[in-house]
Each structure stands twice: as C-alpha cells, then as structure tokens.
Amino acid sequence: MTSRLGTLRLGTRRSLMATTQSQMVADAYTERTGQAIELVGITTFGDVTKAHLAQLGGTGVFVTALRDKLLDGEIDFAVHSLKDIPTTQDPRMTLAALPARHDHRDALVGPVKFADLAPGARVGTGSPRRIAMLSALRPDLQYVPIRGNADTRIGKVASGELDAVVLAAAGLARLGRESEIAQVFEVEEVLPAPGQGALVVECLTERADLVSFLGVLDDPRTRSAVAAERAVLAALEAGCAAPVGAFAVDDGHTLNLTASVVAIDGREAVRKSAAGSPSEAAQLGRRLAAEMIAEGADRLMGEHSH
C-alpha cells in the first residue's frame, strides 16, 4: 500500500549501534506497510563528549538532541534504546511503538567465563548497576568505568587493556558480535536495567496520523513489561546511574516483576518480586518500589539517586 505520509525521516544518532537499530525499525515498517523511510543522522552532545555518562546527568543526553529535531520539524520520528528515555515523559512526545523486545540480558565479552576470570582481573563497564551486581558475585575483581561505543569497549579486551567487558546482549546481537560473548548473565545473577533490550519509536503527540501509523509495530506485552520496570525506577527516583535492576515478563495473563537495588560495593541488596495484571503494570511497579523502600532500598542507592 502506498502511504499519504510521503517519505518519512527517521532521526538517529550516528553511532553504528544507533544506525543499525534505526535501520532495523525502518525495514520493519517498510516490510509491513510499504512506507518509504530515510535515515537522518544526528550528532548528540553525549556522542562527542568524553565525560562519563553519570556526570552528564544520565542518559537523557542522547535523547534530547533527537527530540529537538522532532520539535524543529527536521525529522518525523526517532528510535531510541528505551533505557535512554527519562522516566518522566514529555507530553509533547508520544512513545508510539515499543516493538517486541530483544534479549534483555547482560553479556560478558572476553576470553573466558566470569567464574574463570583470574582474581584481580579488570572488567570494564560504564554502569554502576553492573558494577554493583557483579561485585556481589565476584568482589575479588577490579571494575573499571569505561565509555565509548561497543567497538571501542570490545577493543579494550583485544588490546589487553581489560580482561573482559560487560555489554547488553541485545546490542551485541544487533551488531552481529554474538560470537564474542563468553557468557550471558541470567536475571538471577545480574538483573538488567529497566527497559534493557527494548527499542522505542517516538514522534510528536500532535501528529495523530503518524502516531497511528507507527503503532503497527507496537508489542503490547513488551509495553506492559517495560511500564512496570520503569515505574520501579521512577518511584525509586533513580536515574540511569543508580544501581537499580528490574525485569518483568507479561505471559498474556499475568505480569511477573522482579526488581533490586544493590549497594555499589555489592555487599547489600534489596530484591523483591511481585505479580499482577498487565493492565496495571505501572501500579505494580510503584507498589514493589514502595516495598523495597520500606526495606531500605533508598539508603543503598545513596549518592547515586537524584
């Protein structure tokens, strides 16, 4: 079918990961609807600065530039990694589609499995959540904060600067780098970041025709699961830099949610699970967060919460 929307402009960060994700989404729309879509590359401040993400005020730095282009009318829609989207939604923007989620787990890239790394081995990750949860499993390793795209991070292992790095499994799969994964961490070991593995398609709320068109890729089970995870994050008032993990699964009847907050040294944690109706995902997340706070979760976050 031909569209009355004309060729749509999809804004994307210029990194290989971002353009790969955006092209995947563009292809899915074209396959489903016949709609012509062109990618528009945008450089964001978060891509060019050398500062650590936590110092930049968290993940919103990548999203802001794309939203500015939406508001300027330079692009029609944008694709983000959901974990980069602030939990407080800008009413001018609509999350028009959450396509079916990819792998939610964290992955270790290196020559050996996590348990086989030598004591004192250097493991790179830019995430306080990963550092806290990995420290709980192996306090005898050194966790080194790193930045940069997946290629840069994996390169630090190849060069011997680091013994291993931890990245999102979904991102490695999208880049065709699965063969370099030594181990994927199950959620019992390392709870992923809220929304990890999920992409989101965003456009201006006022463009009702576009909101409707983009909705064809929306996956209701992914949407309810990540709504619960993000509600935990919002209720804990934690930014991306806080050591908070959450993962939910909507089986079509019940939404099962697990969340945890871990002290940055890995020595203490509050971990809780709850189940409820997928239609009340956000309430389930808020309720679980309240139970966690009652057990001292906010104290564990310490200086990492906003």
Side-chain angles (χ1 to χ4, degrees):
M1 72 183 207
T2 49
S3 164
R4 55 196 166 67
L5 291 166
T7 298
L8 291 176
R9 298 158 302 164
L10 166 49
T12 176
R13 287 166 56 197
R14 294 179 188 272
S15 72
L16 179 63
M17 181 80 76
T19 51
T20 303
Q21 290 177 176
S22 296
Q23 191 62 57
M24 273 172 38
V25 172
D27 291 346
Y29 278 119
T30 303
E31 197 176 306
R32 185 80 66 90
T33 66
Q35 171 66 45
I37 294 172
E38 64 171 345
L39 261 55
V40 178
I42 293 160
T43 301
T44 74
F45 178 70
D47 292 315
V48 293
T49 177
K50 294 285 183 281
H52 284 296
L53 209 51
Q55 295 169 321
L56 294 177
T59 48
V61 292
F62 295 129
V63 173
T64 305
L66 293 172
R67 287 180 166 174
D68 287 345
K69 300 292 184 190
L70 281 172
L71 291 165
D72 292 345
E74 290 181 38
I75 58 174
D76 296 298
F77 69 108
V79 172
H80 312 282
S81 289
L82 182 63
K83 61 183 171 65
D84 290 344
I85 296 262
T87 51
T88 307
Q89 181 61 14
D90 183 331
R92 298 173 296 176
M93 311 283 165
T94 291
L95 306 184
L98 284 152
R101 182 186 218 156
H102 298 110
D103 198 328
H104 53 275
R105 299 170 298 176
D106 287 308
L108 183 79
V109 173
V112 295
K113 286 186 159 47
F114 190 62
D116 299 328
L117 287 167
R122 292 165 59 82
V123 179
T125 168
S127 155
R129 172 189 60 84
R130 288 175 179 145
I131 292 170
M133 294 188 185
L134 294 169
S135 297
L137 300 172
R138 292 280 315 262
D140 61 322
L141 302 181
Q142 290 184 64
Y143 298 99
V144 182
I146 54 169
R147 275 212 66 193
N149 60 33
D151 274 338
T152 305
R153 295 180 189 209
I154 293 169
K156 291 181 189 293
V157 179
S159 71
E161 187 184 331
L162 296 171
D163 297 294
V165 292
V166 180
L167 297 158
L172 291 165
R174 288 174 197 143
L175 294 175
R177 311 282 297 253
E178 290 126 311
S179 61
E180 295 169 68
I181 295 175
Q183 178 181 348
V184 175
F185 294 100
E186 297 305 329
V187 293
E188 293 75 26
E189 303 168 295
V190 178
L191 208 52
Q196 185 160 305
L199 298 176
V200 60
V201 181
E202 185 175 57
C203 69
L204 294 182
T205 304
E206 66 192 28
R207 297 205 45 193
D209 58 336
L210 195 51
V211 173
S212 168
F213 166 79
L214 294 170
V216 300
L217 283 192
D218 193 60
D219 179 65
R221 291 188 187 185
T222 296
R223 189 174 277 268
S224 58
V226 300
E229 294 164 16
R230 285 164 62 77
V232 171
L233 194 65
L236 290 171
E237 296 184 332
C240 75
V244 175
F247 181 61
V249 178
D250 176 353
D251 66 8
H253 306 286
T254 307
L255 187 62
N256 289 290
L257 170 66
T258 299
S260 95
V261 173
V262 186
I264 200 70
D265 62 6
R267 289 182 188 171
E268 278 185 273
V270 174
R271 184 177 176 120
K272 302 278 288 181
S273 295
S277 163
S279 64
E280 297 180 339
Q283 294 94 311
L284 182 69
R286 286 193 291 270
R287 195 166 73 238
L288 192 62
E291 291 175 17
M292 292 168 73
I293 289 168
E295 291 190 17
D298 50 343
R299 181 180 53 78
L300 294 185
M301 292 192 302
E303 72 276 16
H304 286 282
S305 60
H306 292 326

